[in-house]
Amino acid sequence: MIEVVNLSKNFKKVTAVDQVNLYIEPGEIVGLLGPNGAGKSTTIAMLSTLISPTEGDVLLNQKSILKNPSDLRGVLGVVPQEIALYQDLTARENLQFFGSIQKMAKQVLNKRIDIVLEQIGLQNEPKKLVKHYSGGMKRRLNIGVAMLHEPKYLIMDEPTVGIDPQSRNHILKTVKTLNENSNMAIIYTSHYMEEVEFLCNRIYIMDKGRIIASGTKEEIKAVLSSENTVHVKLEYHSKGFVNDLLEQPMLSNINAKEGEITFTVAKGMDFLPMLLSLCEKNNVILKSFQVEEPTLEDVFLHLTGRALRN
Amino acid sequence: MFIALLKKQMKILFRSPSEVFTLFVMPIVLILILSYALGSIMGGDSEMTTIEMAIIHHGDEQEQFRNVINDLPPNLVLDQQAIDNIENSLPVSLLFEELTTDKEMQNLIHVTQLEGKSLAEVKENGDYDVVVEIPQNFTKEFLQAKFFNQEKPAFNVYLNESEQITSTIVKDLVDYFQLQYTLQSELSENNIQINNTALPSAQINSTIRTVDSLEEVTSSVYYTFSMAVMFMLFVAGTLAGQSFIEKNTHIFDRILLARIHLGTYLLSIIVSSVVFTLLQVLVLFSFSYFVFHISFARWELFLLLTIVFSLVIGAIAALLSSINYRSNSAGASNLFSTAIVAILAFFGGSYFNISSLSPFLAKVGMWTPNGAALDGYLTIAQNGSLSDLLPNITILSFLAVLFMLLAFLLFPKRGGIV
Ligand SMILES: Nc1ncnc2c1ncn2[C@@H]1O[C@H](COP(=O)(O)OP(=O)(O)OP(=O)(O)O)[C@@H](O)[C@H]1O
Ligand SMILES: [Mg+2]
C-alpha cells in the first residue's frame, strides 16, 4: 500500500499541495480528479519520489520512502503529463531503451514490446520516429512506456489528453483489463469525469491544493443524495424568468445558458407549480424538463460552486 | 543497461543532421579553407616583428685565413688577386654581411654577434629566435675543403621552437642564404687561377633544428589538429544540451524511476563523449591522411593523446550537464557552445598560433584543454617523443579529473527530488 500523509508542497509563494492525505491499495484503481492547477501533478510527483514534499510523508507498506526512494521506485510505473519520449527514436527503440534501463531481460523485453505496441495500437508504426507521430500517438506511446515493465502501481497523470475518443476508449479498456488481469493498481488523474467514473473504485477530488471529497463513487455522490439536478429547456431565453428563479429560496446552483437552465433542488420538494407559474408570468414556453441523479460533475459544482471545466 | 544509454545517445546524435554537420562537416571544410588560405603565411611570408638572431663564433676568421694561406703546399701558388678574392668572401663575414647590409634583411632580422658565450647560455636566456653557432675551425675547414677537396664543414642553426611561424621564415632565409652563398663561391672561384687546378665549390651544410630538435609543421598539419581540438569541444556542449532535454521532457524522471544511479547517468555522458570524439577524430584525421598525406605513423602517441583529451571532453560534458541540471536551464551548455568554445579556441591557438603574440599567452594556451591537446598533436607531428608529450598529458589528465570531480559534486544529489 502506498500512502501520503499530510503532504504539502510550497513553491515560493504558491501552496500547490496543502495537507493531502490519500492511499492506494494493491489492485485497486483510484481516481484523482480536479481542475487545472488543483495540485494533482504536484501530488503525483511527490508520490512518485520525483520531488520532495515541503511537509508530510510518503509511505510504502507503512515505511517512509523519503530518505530512500529506491523501493518505491521499484514498484512504480509513471505516465507523466508531458510526453517523456525521445523524439529521434522510433516507438520500438523508445520501448527498448526504457525497458533496458529497467533491466528487463532481452527476450522478455521483446515479447513485452510486441504486447504493449498492440495494446496502445501502434503495432503498425513501430518504425516511425516519434517526432513524426501525431499528438495522440505520442500520448499512447507515453502510456506504453510506463506499463512496459508491468509495475505493481501505475500512476497516470492525465494520460488521455488529446487522444481521439476511439483510442481513448481502447486505452481505458486496456487499463481496466490490466488492472483486472495482472492486478496492477492504478492512480488515474484526470479532469474527465466519465473516465474516472468508468475506471475507478475510489475517487479523490482536489481543488486548490486540497482534497475536498473522497470515497467510493457512491459515497461521493451521496453528498448530493438529498438533492436532484433539474434541466429545463425553454423555447427562447428570458432574463426575467432566470431572475425570478434566482429569487426562489428552494433552488440552488442555478446555471443559465441560452435557453437551457440547470438547478438543484432538495428531494421531495414540489417545485413544479412554482416553475409553471413563473413560465406563465414571464410568457415563457417550456420545451422540456428533466430530473437527474447527480454526477461527479454536480458534486464538484456543489463543493466548489464552480464547474470543473469551463 | 549502460550500453542502452550509450546506444540511445549515439542514435540521437547521428540522427540530427545539424549536429552531424557541425561536428563532422564544418571542421573538414575549415581545415580545407584554412590550409589553403593561410598556407602562404604559415609558409614564410608575413608581417612579423624583427627576428632576433645571434651568431656565436668560436674562432677568429682572419687568423684562420692567414694560417691556411701560409700553410698552403708549395705546388699551390696563388697570386695576390686570388688571395684578395678569397679574403673578401670568407664565409662567416659574408654571412654576417649578407644579413646586416641588405635593407630588406634589416627589417626582418636583427643580428647580434656574440663572442665567448656558450651555446647553452644563449639558448637558456631565450632572447633570440634563432641562434647560429659557428664551430671553432669553421673557416679553416671551409678553405681546406675548397683547396683539398676535404669534407665540408657545417654550422648549426637553432630555432626557438615556441615560435613556429618565425622558425619557418628563418629556415627559408637560411636556405636562401645557402643558395646565394654557393653561387657566390662559384663566381669568385672563376677569378681564382690556381695553376689551372679548378677547385670544387664548398657547400656549407647548415643543419636546421629547432631548439628541441623538432621538425617544422605545414599549415595543413596545423589546421587539421587545431580544428580537430576545437570541434571536439563542441561535442561537450552538444551532449550536455541533449542531457538537459532529458530533464526538460521528464525523460530523466523515467531514468530515475528505473533506479539508474546518478553516477551511472553522468558516466554515460562521459563515455558517450569519449566514443563520439574518438569517432570524430577518426574521421577528421582520416580526411587529412588521405587529402594532405599527413603521417600518423606514430599512431600510438596520437591515440594516447586523443583518449586523454576525449576524457577531458567527457568531463566537460558532464560538468556542463551538472550545471544545467542545477540551474534548471540549458544556459551553461549554450554559453559553452556559443562563446566559451570560441574563447578557448582563441587562447588554445586554433585560429592562429597564439604563442607568436606573447609567451604569456602561450602559457595560458597550454592550460586550455584544447591548447594543451593541440600543442601535443603538433609535438607528435614534429617527431616529439613520449617524454615531450608528458606535460600535455599531465595537464589534460589534471583537467579531466578536476572537471569530473566538479561534475559529480555539482549534480543535484537526489535527482528529481529538489
Ligand atoms: N515548479 C513549480 N514552481 C512554481 N509553481 C508551481 C510549480 N509546479 C506547479 N506549480 C503551481 O502549483 C499549482 C498546482 O500545479 P499542478 O501542476 O500540480 O496542477 P494540476 O492539478 O496538475 O493541473 P493540470 O490539470 O493543469 O495539470 C499551480 O498553481 C502551479 O502554478
Ligand atoms: Mg497536472
Side-chain angles (χ1 to χ4, degrees), chain B residues 93-107 109 111:
Chain B
S93 313
L94 202 70
L95 172 67
F96 192 70
E97 233 169 73
E98 184 81 15
L99 290 172
T100 51
T101 51
D102 189 279
K103 262 262 158 6
E104 264 182 48
M105 272 310 183
Q106 278 175 350
N107 287 337
I109 297 192
V111 184

Side-chain angles (χ1 to χ4, degrees), chain B residues 295-317:
Chain B
S295 159
F296 291 98
R298 307 168 73 223
W299 60 271
E300 66 288 343
L301 290 184
F302 279 111
L303 185 66
L304 172 71
L305 183 63
T306 304
I307 288 177
V308 179
F309 183 50
S310 53
L311 280 171
V312 182
I313 300 289
I316 295 175

Side-chain angles (χ1 to χ4, degrees), chain A residues 33 192-198 200 203-205 213 215-222 224 293-303 306 308:
Chain A
L33 199 60
Y192 291 110
M193 293 293 168
E194 322 82 81
E195 290 186 351
V196 173
E197 286 209 64
F198 170 74
C200 305
I203 294 161
Y204 293 91
I205 299 180
T216 62
K217 264 181 282 193
E218 294 70 29
E219 282 169 350
I220 289 188
K221 285 183 187 170
L224 295 185
E293 285 293 303
T295 64
L296 286 175
E297 194 102 33
D298 302 322
V299 176
F300 189 81
L301 192 66
H302 173 82
L303 290 172
R306 290 178 287 124
L308 196 50

Side-chain angles (χ1 to χ4, degrees), chain A residues 41 81 157-158:
Chain A
S41 296
Q81 188 171 357
D157 194 354
E158 298 184 33

Side-chain angles (χ1 to χ4, degrees), chain B residues 373-387:
Chain B
L374 173 58
D375 186 81
Y377 282 128
L378 293 174
T379 303
I380 306 173
Q382 291 167 302
N383 280 324
S385 63
L386 179 61
S387 59

